[in-house]
């Protein structure tokens, strides 16, 4: 059977399919460049596996306290090697990205210290962690103050204001690589490196943490290659390769990671405890697959930008911009269009394809959020997913796809739903 007929079975009509094919034919060069990066990162990871002598004994499950878990210790060495850091904490006990960031921040900030975000507002869920929105157990409640310098109107770093914001109390600088739920640009690793050099030049003992969520393996270098003292992320995004069922990582300087481990478990116990309960094969194999999975997701994001820009919607990044994370924002101009888009993504899913996503209040977010995901791992956003808060500018954030073909189907289905709802006409 022809490809087009198969798409028709899946609910994409011929006109929509042909529109997609026409756009795809213009993207070959960009896709080739992505494959080159994936190839490099695949070998970088393989080199780390071999250097650390990963073997069958690493795939065992520990239980109880999890003392002497060789597989866990080696996995952390592999992560440290991949990110070129002294140490790493990679654990199923880190429940999500927000948790990993919370551990990294609260382990390394003490009462009286100040946290600085020189790159504007951080990710929504961090507002309560920091205390920007009041919350019990926030850093603010523990006496850690917070300062923020917004980006300039063209999305750049406001260097004069950053210089003014750094003071005696400033202890830790947090930089979010990905745009998250904002329509600012995502920073390249090079840009992050320039910002790190700038702040460290003013105050050399500053700790720089980068929220690396969604950025891993999009480029051949990571923020830890350009001076970040800690890089932090979630295993149900890029580095878990779609296989990790839970978890987070923090890679960085030995003394900082040790504090993170003391915070995560208990002072004195640190990295010595934490049973892995059988997840290690998925952590290892997921990391091994992460570069190709990330490449598929990136291609999907570029395809989406090109499809929706052609139809007159604002896309961030736009159809031709260079990419530094796997997120694609599409400003759909209405809540109704966001719902139709998400319905299409949901309808493309391997799991829960028959349900219709509706907007809902979510913990950690200050407006209703719509989410489409039919994932093998619940909430995994390296799998094909779309979400966004129902508020101006009605941007839907599309990401993931364990394979490019799946991302492609999702985008075509989203477009079909917009056509069916008379919001878009080809
Ligand atoms: C996803 C994400 C987080 C938080 O991760 P969760 O796993 O959802 O808690 C933090 N920062 C950025 C930029 C993210 O994309």
């Amino acid at each position: 059977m022809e490809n087009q007929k198969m798409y028709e079975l899946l609910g994409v009509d011929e006109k929509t399919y042909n529109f997609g094919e026409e756009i795809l034919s213009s993207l070959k060069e960009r896709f080739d460049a992505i494959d080159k990066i994936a190839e490099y990162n695949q070998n970088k990871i393989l080199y780390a596996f071999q250097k650390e002598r990963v073997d069958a004994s690493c795939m065992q499950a520990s239980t109880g306290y999890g003392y002497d878990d060789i597989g866990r210790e080696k996995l952390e060495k592999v992560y440290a090697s991949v990110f070129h850091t002294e140490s790493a904490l990679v654990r199923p006990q880190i429940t999500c990205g927000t948790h990993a960031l919370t551990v990294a921040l609260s382990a390394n900030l003490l009462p009286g210290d100040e946290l600085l975000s020189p790159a504007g507002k951080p990710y929504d869920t961090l507002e309560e962690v920091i205390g920007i929105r009041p919350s019990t157990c926030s850093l603010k409640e523990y006496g850690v103050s917070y300062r923020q310098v917004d980006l300039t109107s063209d999305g750049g770093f406001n260097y004069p204001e950053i210089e003014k914001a750094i003071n005696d109390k400033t202890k830790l600088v947090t930089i979010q690589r990905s745009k998250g739920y904002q329509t600012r640009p995502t920073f390249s690793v090079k840009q992050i490196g320039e910002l790190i050099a700038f702040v460290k030049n003013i105050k050399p003992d500053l700790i720089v943490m980068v929220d690396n969520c969604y950025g891993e393996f999009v480029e051949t270098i990571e923020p830890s290659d350009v001076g970040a003292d800690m890089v932090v992320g979630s295993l149900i995004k890029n580095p878990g390769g779609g296989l990790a069922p839970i978890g987070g990582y923090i890679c960085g300087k030995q003394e900082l990671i040790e504090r993170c481990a003391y915070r995560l478990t208990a002072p004195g116990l640190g990295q010595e405890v934490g049973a892995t309960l059988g997840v290690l094969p998925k952590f290892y194999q997921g990391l091994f697959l992460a570069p190709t999975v990330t490449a598929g997701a990136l291609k999907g994001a570029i395809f989406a930008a090109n499809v929706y820009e052609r139809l007159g919607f604002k896309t961030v990044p736009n159809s031709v911009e260079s990419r530094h994370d796997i997120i694609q924002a599409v400003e759909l101009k209405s809540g109704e269009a966001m719902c139709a888009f998400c319905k299409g993504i949901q309808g493309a899913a391997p799991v829960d394809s028959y349900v219709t996503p509706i907007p809902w209040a979510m913990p950690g977010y200050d407006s209703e959020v719509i989410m489409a995901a039919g994932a093998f791992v619940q909430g995994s956003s390296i799998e094909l997913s779309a979400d966004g808060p129902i508020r101006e500018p009605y941007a839907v954030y599309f990401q993931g796809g364990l394979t490019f073909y799946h991302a492609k189907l999702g985008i075509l289905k989203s477009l079909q739903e917009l056509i069916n709802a008379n919001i878009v006409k080809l």
Side-chain angles (χ1 to χ4, degrees), residues 165-177:
I166 296 172
N167 60 60
D168 287 349
K169 287 168 62 186
T170 314
K171 170 82 172 294
L172 196 150
V173 169
T174 178
I175 303 169
Q176 183 180 310
R177 179 172 175 183

